[in-house]
Amino acid sequence: MQKALFILAALIIGLICGMLLPGGSDGVIKGAEFVGALWLNGLRMTIIPLVVSLLIVGIVQTAVMAKAGRMTFRAIATMIAILWASAAMAALFTPALLALFPLPADAAAALQSALSTAQEPGPVPSILEFFRDIVPANPVAAAANDAILPLIIFTLAFAFAVTRLPEKKRSTIADFFAAISEAMLILVQWVLALAPVGVFALALVVGARAGAQSFVGLAHYVLIVVAVGTVIYLASFLLALLGAKRSPLAFFRASIPAQAVAISTQSSLASLPAMVQGVKAMGVGERSADVVLPISVALFRATGPCMNLAVAIYVAHLMGIEITTSAMIAGIVAAAITTMGAVSLPGSVSFITSIAPINIAMGLPVEPLVLLLAIEAFPDIMRTLANVTMDMAVTGTVARFEGDLAEGETS
């Protein structure tokens, strides 16, 4: 949280300093652009190896857990279904929300001008080309060319193939990629240690070119993304009603302690003890509470697909880029799959490693994510709140179907 506050402070100070720059400061702006681009390149170089290694480790771990028993398999299947539904919901709800409440025209024009140096969006294939190219002829070339979706498909297939190996060989490959992901995370932490410098430099450029409109854009972004996350929060009450047969009021009372911890810590792991007590208050048995909830915290992040895809869609809205059908499909697939490999990461790391692949898959620039990273502390409150609440709803639902839920209030 302290690191997030430093990055947020760098953003605000950079924007203000940019707004206060006198005329004829082109040299300062170009210098800031150079520093910001250098830092962003350092961050981008970690994305492909980190996403691939995390996805392989995540799939292998998920497959091993799914073999542990019927309850575990049912829990994981439920979570995967929710992840895909979450991504699909964002693809429908976010554009509709932006159509009703668009970014003010003045702010949009100012920010597009300020971000005019962002990398041009990649080519977006037609529907036929999309499905033809989704299986890469050369996965190494796909990685080199930032063809992220074909690379994800290959990685997914490779990870499932690894799960069919004998235990010793499977463990060897999983340990190898786990070591790569750990090394890459160390490298990412080094790059993020310089985040205040990189964010300050890029914010100074935006502040100089967009002025006060930059604050309008950032505030609008927070409201839109939080609204998308709120849908998942409300959906957890619906799941509790239909799946666990608990009324919204009863479910809310049981989840209040966990929600309070989630808001104050922004950590699902820190909320786990309160979640355990909450589901037991709902009537969930020891077996489900001790099995399903830890799996949820380890593998499941319900808001990941919807809020990550919402960020990518917002970038397109911000930059005035039209999202084609094939690009949206690519975003849904990337959002649903990459979430499975990023659950255990710190928020600032998962923001880049989860959303940058979605942007690349959709042919959108990555540069605006740096400014949005700086204010992620605000949407992250809703992320954690909705994730914790959905974890409890899933646990109650699985417990009911496993016969491990006591009779309780249903209306």
Side-chain angles (χ1 to χ4, degrees):
M1 189 63 184
Q2 188 178 31
K3 182 182 294 185
L5 292 176
F6 276 127
I7 297 175
L8 178 61
L11 172 71
I12 295 173
I13 295 172
L15 290 173
I16 293 174
C17 288
M19 292 165 59
L20 296 177
L21 278 179
S25 301
D26 292 345
V28 175
I29 295 175
K30 288 182 179 179
E33 282 181 336
F34 174 82
V35 172
L38 190 65
W39 179 77
L40 182 60
N41 286 341
L43 198 58
R44 290 190 64 165
M45 74 178 180
T46 66
I47 292 173
I48 296 295
L50 186 56
V51 167
V52 170
S53 57
L54 285 173
L55 190 55
I56 291 174
V57 173
I59 294 296
V60 172
Q61 289 178 342
T62 302
V64 171
M65 288 185 180
K67 295 177 181 178
R70 187 182 65 181
M71 175 183 286
T72 304
F73 177 82
R74 176 170 279 163
I76 291 175
T78 302
M79 294 170 196
I80 291 175
I82 292 173
L83 291 178
W84 282 90
S86 172
M89 180 277 292
L92 296 173
F93 182 71
T94 310
L97 191 62
L98 287 170
L100 288 174
F101 305 102
L103 179 64
D106 292 343
L111 287 168
Q112 287 174 21
S113 174
L115 296 168
S116 59
T117 57
Q119 181 177 328
E120 289 294 321
V124 179
S126 66
I127 290 290
L128 290 177
E129 291 173 333
F130 171 80
F131 285 106
R132 182 198 66 195
D133 297 336
I134 198 169
V135 177
N138 185 340
V140 176
N145 295 324
D146 275 351
I148 193 72
L149 188 56
L151 180 63
I152 288 174
I153 297 300
F154 168 78
T155 303
L156 198 64
F158 177 79
F160 279 115
V162 170
T163 65
R164 304 299 298 272
L165 293 174
E167 182 178 356
K168 184 177 180 181
K169 293 181 178 179
R170 182 181 67 237
S171 299
T172 299
I173 294 178
D175 290 343
F176 171 74
F177 282 102
I180 290 179
S181 65
E182 291 173 10
M184 292 306 303
L185 284 173
I186 293 173
L187 181 56
V188 171
Q189 295 291 357
W190 289 348
V191 176
L192 286 177
L194 299 174
V197 177
V199 169
F200 172 83
L202 293 171
L204 186 143
V205 175
V206 173
R209 292 175 175 168
Q213 296 293 347
S214 54
F215 287 101
V216 175
L218 293 175
H220 183 258
Y221 159 79
V222 170
L223 293 175
I224 294 295
V225 175
V226 168
V228 174
T230 302
V231 176
I232 296 296
Y233 175 72
L234 297 176
S236 66
F237 286 84
L238 181 61
L239 180 62
L241 177 63
L242 300 178
K245 299 300 180 182
R246 292 297 183 265
S247 71
L249 182 58
F251 181 63
F252 180 68
R253 285 200 299 261
S255 61
I256 284 176
Q259 292 181 6
V261 177
I263 292 172
S264 59
T265 64
Q266 295 177 246
S267 169
S268 296
L269 183 59
S271 306
L272 181 58
M275 281 193 281
V276 171
Q277 295 302 316
V279 296
K280 288 181 178 179
M282 290 168 54
V284 173
E286 293 275 353
R287 185 165 61 100
S288 300
D290 294 342
V291 173
V292 180
L293 266 179
I295 291 175
S296 297
V297 173
L299 300 178
F300 185 46
R301 187 175 287 172
T303 61
C306 71
M307 293 184 74
N308 292 345
L309 182 55
V311 174
I313 294 172
Y314 193 90
V315 169
H317 178 74
L318 177 66
M319 301 299 293
I321 300 172
E322 182 180 356
I323 301 178
T324 64
T325 302
S326 58
M328 189 65 80
I329 294 173
I332 292 172
V333 175
I337 294 177
T338 55
T339 301
M340 299 180 66
V343 173
S344 60
L345 301 180
S348 57
V349 178
S350 65
F351 183 86
I352 295 296
T353 58
S354 297
I355 302 176
I358 300 173
N359 279 39
I360 296 171
M362 296 177 70
L364 301 174
V366 175
E367 286 78 0
L369 295 181
V370 176
L371 297 179
L372 305 182
L373 165 66
I375 55 172
E376 174 60 14
F378 300 110
D380 197 42
I381 295 174
M382 177 51 69
R383 286 179 184 267
T384 311
L385 176 63
N387 287 338
V388 164
T389 311
M390 184 61 81
D391 286 346
M392 294 181 63
V394 167
T395 302
T397 299
V398 173
R400 174 174 167 256
F401 283 99
E402 288 291 321
D404 195 32
L405 182 67
E407 293 295 327
E409 184 183 355
T410 60
S411 62

